[in-house]
């Protein structure tokens, strides 16, 4: 039976590279893949699915928040691949579950588990609930050799828990970090301080 997969990892864990390799392997055997990405991730141009390692290809489906995935779109596909799946809605994940079951095609979703505030994304939460298989794509902390589990947001070199996810005019980057370095960079006593800090920043903005 076809499965629904969630392969999650922090920023810089080569998730897209993994996706591109899977697509390449299917196509080399003459099998059709369908690549989906969310509409508003325009990091590398709207249609492009691009890895930091330099490989890229075009997505077949650019999915907006109100867009719908219909089973008929996947009938001749051997594999469905989703990039940046954290930005999909819970309803999209429900539709992917149905496609996997009813069309009988494996659906492999790649994305972040949590945002820079350490909270689950909507799409990732629903995948945690519905996926047959949950796998971690691992990478090491930017500041030590422990496994990274957080995405630290830095604007102009300062680690932040507040602000919009896209900073206009600022030099914003995300770093994969371990829990020790996440807490240290944000000047917190421990992860218990995260919610307090978020609440404070919301009061002042
Ligand atoms: Zn670390």
């Amino acid at each position: 039976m076809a499965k629904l997969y969630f392969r999650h990892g922090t920023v810089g864990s080569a998730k897209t590279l993994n996706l591109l390799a899977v697509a390449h392997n299917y196509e080399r055997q003459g099998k059709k893949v369908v690549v989906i990405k969310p509409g508003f991730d325009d990091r590398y141009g709207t249609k492009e699915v691009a890895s930091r390692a330099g490989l890229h290809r075009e997505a077949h489906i650019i999915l907006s928040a109100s867009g719908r995935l219909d089973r008929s779109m996947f009938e001749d596909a051997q594999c469905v691949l989703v990039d940046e799946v954290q930005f999909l809605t819970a309803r999209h994940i429900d539709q992917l579950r149905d496609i996997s079951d009813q069309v009988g095609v494996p659906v492999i979703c790649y994305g972040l588990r949590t945002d820079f505030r350490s909270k689950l994304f909507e799409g990732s939460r629903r995948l945690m609930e519905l996926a047959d298989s949950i796998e971690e794509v691992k990478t090491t902390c930017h500041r030590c050799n422990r496994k990274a589990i957080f995405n630290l947001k830095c604007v102009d070199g300062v680690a932040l828990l507040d602000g919009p996810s896209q900073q206009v005019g600022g030099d914003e980057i995300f770093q994969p970090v371990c829990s020790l370095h996440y807490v240290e960079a944000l000047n917190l006593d421990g992860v218990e301080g995260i919610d307090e800090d978020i609440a404070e920043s919301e009061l002042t903005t």
Side-chain angles (χ1 to χ4, degrees):
M1 209 188 87
K3 287 183 181 172
L4 175 63
Y5 297 83
F6 181 27
R7 293 185 178 161
H8 67 84
T10 61
V11 289
S13 58
K15 297 183 293 299
T16 303
L17 188 62
N18 193 318
L19 180 155
L20 294 170
V22 172
H24 175 76
N25 287 342
Y26 270 93
E27 286 172 343
R28 201 175 46 184
Q29 297 173 356
K31 295 171 183 166
K32 188 184 167 187
V33 299
V34 175
V35 178
I36 302 171
K37 66 173 277 189
F40 59 86
D41 170 38
D42 56 5
R43 216 172 7 156
Y44 299 99
T46 38
K47 280 201 123 181
E48 203 90 306
V49 172
S51 163
R52 286 173 180 80
L55 296 177
H56 57 92
R57 64 175 292 147
E58 279 197 0
H60 301 94
I61 298 173
I62 312 293
L63 195 57
S64 68
S66 59
R68 189 182 157 74
L69 294 166
D70 195 82
R71 285 172 214 172
S72 63
M73 297 153 90
F74 303 95
E75 256 143 30
D76 54 350
Q78 304 292 307
C79 183
V80 177
L81 296 162
V82 187
D83 194 36
E84 304 283 2
V85 74
Q86 71 273 9
F87 295 132
L88 298 193
T89 64
R91 182 165 292 193
H92 289 142
I93 307 302
D94 291 351
Q95 290 159 9
L96 289 169
R97 175 75 265 181
D98 287 340
I99 286 156
S100 165
D101 291 339
Q102 310 294 335
V103 183
V105 62
V107 176
I108 310 177
C109 304
Y110 294 85
L112 302 173
R113 181 172 61 168
T114 55
D115 64 12
F116 67 92
R117 301 179 188 212
S118 78
K119 304 298 178 184
L120 284 170
F121 283 96
E122 180 181 339
S124 310
R125 176 187 298 277
R126 194 65 182 137
L127 272 167
M128 288 289 185
E129 294 165 346
L130 295 187
D132 297 288
S133 173
I134 298 170
E135 299 159 15
E136 187 174 18
V137 185
K138 293 173 187 166
T139 193
T140 51
C141 173
H142 191 75
R143 303 172 183 214
C144 74
N145 288 321
R146 299 178 78 210
K147 189 180 80 174
I149 56 165
F150 290 100
N151 302 296
L152 182 68
K153 177 186 173 183
C154 295
V155 177
D156 300 325
V158 180
L160 291 175
L161 275 178
D162 61 337
S165 55
Q166 298 278 333
Q167 192 89 10
V168 179
D171 183 17
E172 176 191 271
I173 52 161
F174 290 91
Q175 289 177 354
V177 289
C178 69
S179 53
L180 281 177
H181 283 113
Y182 182 77
V183 162
E184 185 187 285
L186 290 162
N187 288 316
L188 300 170
D189 287 334
V191 289
E192 223 185 335
I194 296 173
D195 282 342
E196 234 169 77
D197 209 89
I198 291 171
E200 248 171 55
S201 71
E202 277 167 0
L203 281 177
T204 55
T205 48

